[in-house]
Amino acid sequence: MFHPVPERFRACAAALVRRWDLLPVNIRGSIWVTLAALTFTLMAGVIKTLGARLDSFEISFFRCLFALIVTFPFALREGPAAFRTRHLGLHLARAGVGVLAMFCGYYGITKLPLADVTTIGFTRALFMIPLAVLFLGEKVHLARWTATAAGFIGVLVMLRPGGEGPVFAVLVALAAAAFTAGGIVLIKKLSETEHPVTILVFYNFATTLVSFPTIFPVWTAPTLRELVLLGVVAALAGIGQFCTIRGYADSEASAVVAFGYSRMIFALGIGFLIWGEIPDLWSLMGAAIIVASTLFIGLREARRKTLREAAPP
């Protein structure tokens, strides 16, 4: 008697899947990237809410702990191979950099307007340039160096020259972007020889251990609601990473990279609706410079990758 409803639901779902598959790959990619931007912005909003009572060190620890719990089924499925590595030092370095990125990033989220800290997060693309030269041996042309310099000028503008803006919080958020860029470089090095699950397991295990001692000086017993929200932070982080991977998997990076900047729109909207945050002129000017420079670097890199793939062997 109740079978028609599930049947109708399955037919509806199948029709939606068929429609989705008929969409051009770049349209699908742009939707995934936009969903990732929304997910990461929601995650930042939850962290900001938690930061009203919990310290950023404590939030970071629970983020690592919940991520470790989620990782276990993947590790068990892979078996002993998931724990086999030839580069323990690199794994530990990546974990250390990752924890610092979380500490600084979460601090920035709790102390700065959501739109400001989102914009500063984009500067990780700028930090990637010198790090790629130093550690990956990449050659960088004048145009990318110029765009990088312009991006950091945007940061200086956000520091509100001659004003009394939250300079320390901006610098900490900027450090988070630098540590994130360092983590990306280490992932690139590790991915040359290590299994993705191995990278994930060692990272989540090590970050949980490293972040655990930091909670004692700042410990505040989380309420049941806060524990749920801490779990939501970890879940949103995983969903955001999944959407990002799906967004760039099949589509052309140059066609979808700009949609990642929708995070600015989401951050402005959520910041205004929940906390009444309205960016001032310096923030808007700095944001425009940072977004323009990082977008230029992203589009240029995507174009170069397309040309390399199209070139005959």
Side-chain angles (χ1 to χ4, degrees):
M1 183 168 59
F2 298 102
H3 287 252
V5 175
E7 283 295 335
R8 205 175 303 128
F9 175 79
R10 281 197 290 268
C12 224
L16 287 173
V17 170
R18 283 196 298 271
R19 285 193 175 189
W20 174 261
D21 290 337
L22 289 172
L23 289 174
V25 291
N26 287 340
I27 297 295
R28 295 204 301 267
S30 63
I31 293 171
W32 280 119
V33 171
T34 304
L35 284 173
L38 175 59
T39 302
F40 284 129
T41 308
L42 289 173
M43 183 186 76
V46 176
I47 291 169
K48 194 172 183 69
T49 301
L50 288 164
R53 207 178 76 92
L54 302 182
D55 192 89
S56 55
F57 287 110
E58 191 172 345
I59 299 171
S60 299
F61 166 72
F62 278 104
R63 156 72 176 86
C64 297
L65 178 63
F66 285 127
L68 178 62
I69 293 170
V70 172
T71 302
F72 267 120
F74 296 97
L76 292 173
R77 188 180 65 181
E78 289 296 323
F83 303 93
R84 206 173 291 133
T85 180
R86 289 177 289 172
H87 301 287
L88 183 59
L90 281 179
H91 283 291
L92 295 176
R94 192 221 163 189
V97 168
V99 166
L100 289 171
M102 268 188 281
F103 288 164
C104 296
Y106 291 1
Y107 178 86
I109 289 171
T110 59
K111 301 298 181 184
L112 292 170
L114 206 56
D116 284 10
V117 76
T118 299
T119 302
I120 295 168
F122 292 142
T123 61
R124 63 182 177 273
L126 308 178
F127 284 107
M128 282 294 297
I129 305 300
L131 290 174
V133 171
L134 290 171
F135 298 105
L136 300 178
E138 293 184 6
K139 293 182 179 180
V140 177
H141 299 288
L142 180 62
R144 289 175 70 189
W145 281 118
T146 304
T148 302
F152 285 116
I153 290 172
V155 175
L156 293 176
V157 171
M158 288 190 73
L159 286 171
R160 298 162 177 80
E164 297 181 355
V167 176
F168 179 73
V170 170
L171 292 176
V172 172
L174 195 62
F179 288 130
T180 301
I184 294 170
V185 169
L186 289 168
I187 290 172
K188 283 178 176 287
K189 294 290 287 183
L190 284 166
S191 62
E192 294 173 2
T193 57
E194 303 287 278
H195 192 282
V197 174
T198 303
I199 297 174
L200 194 64
V201 168
F202 274 92
Y203 176 75
N204 288 331
F205 186 73
T207 51
T208 303
L209 283 181
V210 171
S211 61
F212 178 61
T214 67
I215 67 173
F216 293 107
V218 298
W219 175 255
T220 300
T223 64
L224 179 60
R225 173 180 173 272
E226 287 168 339
L227 277 174
V228 171
L229 289 178
L230 288 164
V232 168
V233 168
L236 289 173
I239 293 168
Q241 289 168 7
F242 173 80
C243 291
T244 301
I245 292 167
R246 288 299 304 268
Y248 288 98
D250 300 317
S251 57
E252 298 173 75
S254 57
V256 303
V257 66
F259 289 88
Y261 292 93
S262 59
R263 285 179 73 169
M264 275 297 301
I265 300 170
F266 297 135
L268 283 167
I270 293 172
F272 175 73
L273 289 173
I274 299 178
W275 294 283
E277 297 172 348
I278 302 176
D280 60 18
L281 181 60
W282 289 114
S283 293
L284 292 173
M285 288 173 59
I289 296 170
I290 292 169
V291 169
S293 59
T294 55
L295 183 58
F296 172 81
I297 291 170
L299 291 172
R300 184 178 175 84
E301 186 59 29
R303 183 172 177 274
R304 288 182 65 220
K305 182 181 178 182
T306 303
L307 291 173
R308 285 197 302 269
E309 291 173 349

